[in-house]
Amino acid sequence: LRSMTRELRGSPRGDSTDATDLLQCIRRGSLLAVVLQNTALAICMRYSRIPEPIVEGQEPAPMYLVSTAVLCGEFLKLVVSFCLALKEEDVQKVSRDFFSRNALVMLIPATLYTLQNNLQYVAVSNLDISVCQVLYQMKLVTTALFSVGLLGRSLSPWQWTGIVTCAFGVALVQLSTMEGGDGEHKSEDQAAMVGFAAVSTACVTSGLAAVYTEKVFKSGDTSMWVRNMHLALWSMHAGGAGIYAKDWEAVRSKGFFVGYNTMVCVVISLQALGGMAVALVAKYSDNIAKGFATAISIILTCLLSLVLFDSVPNAMFMLGTLMVLASLFCYTRGSVIHMQPGRMYMEVSGKLMATAKGMA
């Protein structure tokens, strides 16, 4: 951002073309960051969960607790967001905004994300994992629906076709990685209706939380990074509750940082980086584009897994990849997202343009 701002300073002040180019660079950069971060996080997380070789005569190295890593990631995101907020505003303004009543605004998406994560556990406990993966990709559709309802977006038929095609393509890619598994078959105590209800509700909460966060980030005068601090704060509360409910005995007996090593620290750093990238997407782009970026990262992760973990691609993976690529063509072929007159998103676009001109 700072380097692009320096470039713009050489152009006439108030030039709308330069401001538009700056916003386009930020949008594309944030989406590229989402692709790279998601891919790197998936690969590094896979490596971090591989047990170390057992040395004869020694006990196996303990595995780190995922719940503590998530909490550390949120704390790091809070610290980094605070440092970035200080780049924009003085410490008094940042502190005043952080401890204001506006902090309660981000309690809603934090609660929705926590509910979504818990519903996913309920879903996989009552449905085959393959069914869960397919149904959960409908979150891209619910995100589009909430974008239309809450942000006033207008999507063309080509764009709707691309969204639905992308959801099914990602589902096929993820299903291809589970072919031949023997540990995820449905057991007798699984309740299908409970599982369907849980995964459907998870899709709704995922879409609502993403669009609500985007709306909050694009409205009001509070710094984007302060908003991110609020989200990290409430997520830390949820993460702490998860540790107490699930891993408290393990933390008490083995310690909070048991099993931590360099790769775990890299995973935590990537999680925090993801929070920064998502904040930029929510501010300068949109969650539908983020959904496509996530789909691309899933395909990249699978392709890297073919090399790193000696996997073999199958027909389902190739078909899913082609569907995702076709969905990108359909979505970009559709007209640029039109906004309904007078809606909030038009005002937000104007604010972003004014901000970009000010940076120039």
Side-chain angles (χ1 to χ4, degrees), residues 54-59:
I54 300 177
V55 180
E56 186 176 354
Q58 297 182 5
E59 295 184 359

Side-chain angles (χ1 to χ4, degrees), residues 6-7 14 26 28 39 72 129 133 138 144 175 184 204-205 210 227 233 244 247 261 263 266 268 289 300 314 335 351:
R6 286 195 294 268
E7 292 178 5
I26 297 174
R28 293 168 183 169
T39 304
C72 290
I129 186 63
Q133 292 286 10
M138 291 301 104
L175 281 176
E184 300 291 350
V204 173
T205 56
R227 293 291 193 194
L233 176 67
Y244 182 79
D247 295 321
N261 53 33
M263 183 56 68
V266 171
I268 292 173
L300 287 178
N314 53 29
S335 58
K351 290 181 180 179

Side-chain angles (χ1 to χ4, degrees), residues 8 10 23 78 88 172 176 184 240 266 300 312 330:
L8 281 175
L23 290 179
L78 177 65
E88 298 180 350
L172 286 178
S176 70
E184 300 291 350
V266 171
L300 287 178
V312 179
C330 292

Side-chain angles (χ1 to χ4, degrees), residues 75-94:
F75 176 74
L76 182 58
K77 184 170 72 174
L78 177 65
V79 173
V80 174
S81 297
F82 175 69
C83 294
L84 292 173
L86 292 179
K87 291 288 186 179
E88 298 180 350
E89 302 170 337
D90 58 81
V91 64
Q92 290 82 6
K93 179 69 164 57
V94 172

Side-chain angles (χ1 to χ4, degrees), residues 259-319:
Y260 275 49
N261 53 33
T262 303
M263 183 56 68
V264 177
C265 293
V266 171
V267 169
I268 292 173
S269 300
L270 287 172
Q271 287 178 329
L273 176 62
M276 304 299 105
V278 168
L280 285 172
V281 169
K283 181 73 173 181
Y284 296 105
S285 187
D286 62 81
N287 281 288
I288 299 177
K290 188 188 78 172
F292 281 93
T294 303
I296 295 173
S297 71
I298 291 174
I299 292 177
L300 287 178
T301 301
C302 292
L303 289 174
L304 288 174
S305 296
L306 300 179
V307 178
L308 299 175
F309 304 115
D310 297 325
S311 302
V312 179
N314 53 29
M316 188 179 294
F317 173 81
M318 300 303 297
L319 177 59

Side-chain angles (χ1 to χ4, degrees), residues 14-28:
D15 190 340
S16 60
T17 302
D18 289 334
T20 302
D21 291 342
L22 174 60
L23 290 179
Q24 287 295 332
C25 288
I26 297 174
R27 290 190 184 106
R28 293 168 183 169

Side-chain angles (χ1 to χ4, degrees), residues 99-115:
F99 292 106
S100 68
R101 293 182 179 179
N102 286 334
L104 296 175
V105 173
M106 300 308 295
L107 176 61
I108 296 176
T111 303
L112 289 173
Y113 283 129
T114 302
L115 177 61

